[in-house]
Amino acid sequence: MKKVIFILGVEAAKGVGKTSGRPYEFGKIFNLTPVRNWETEKGRSSHKGFTVDEEKCVVCHIDALPQLQRLDYPCFAEVDIDIDPEDMSSTIIVGATMVQHIDIFNPPKKAI
């Protein structure tokens, strides 16, 4: 499945676990997630906009990291999403291509 998402950055990590001693290698995409309103019997919230929730960051397959590291961030990117072979109940990014880079340091001038 393909989907366009707004990506702020990407993290790649490789090493050996401190306690387990097992090697690890993973990638994580920091993307904007809409802020969700909530309501309970004791209260409610009202939010607008987006957040970067580290628990909701998208995991990417290690083979997709070279594609992701070539992109300029932040950007809109079209990502290829597949079932995570190590956890069939979740998804994983397996590829990405740039749709549009957003230059936050030189925003477009507003017409007067």
Side-chain angles (χ1 to χ4, degrees), residues 9-39:
V10 64
E11 172 186 25
K14 182 177 182 176
V16 178
K18 284 190 277 187
T19 54
S20 70
R22 292 187 308 216
Y24 64 83
E25 189 172 16
F26 68 88
K28 190 186 305 184
I29 296 172
F30 296 94
N31 58 302
L32 291 179
T33 304
V35 178
R36 294 225 161 92
N37 292 324
W38 56 267
E39 186 170 345

Side-chain angles (χ1 to χ4, degrees), residues 56-108:
K56 294 181 181 177
C57 287
V58 182
V59 176
C60 64
H61 193 278
I62 201 66
D63 293 343
L65 280 171
Q67 293 172 13
L68 289 159
Q69 289 176 327
R70 283 193 290 271
L71 302 180
D72 293 320
Y73 295 104
C75 70
F76 285 99
E78 182 177 64
V79 294
D80 296 312
I81 303 170
D82 207 345
I83 300 296
D84 185 344
E86 295 181 27
D87 179 3
M88 300 301 274
S89 66
S90 64
T91 57
I92 191 168
I93 303 295
V94 295
T97 55
M98 176 81 73
V99 172
Q100 180 183 0
H101 173 251
I102 307 298
D103 188 349
I104 59 172
F105 297 108
N106 296 303

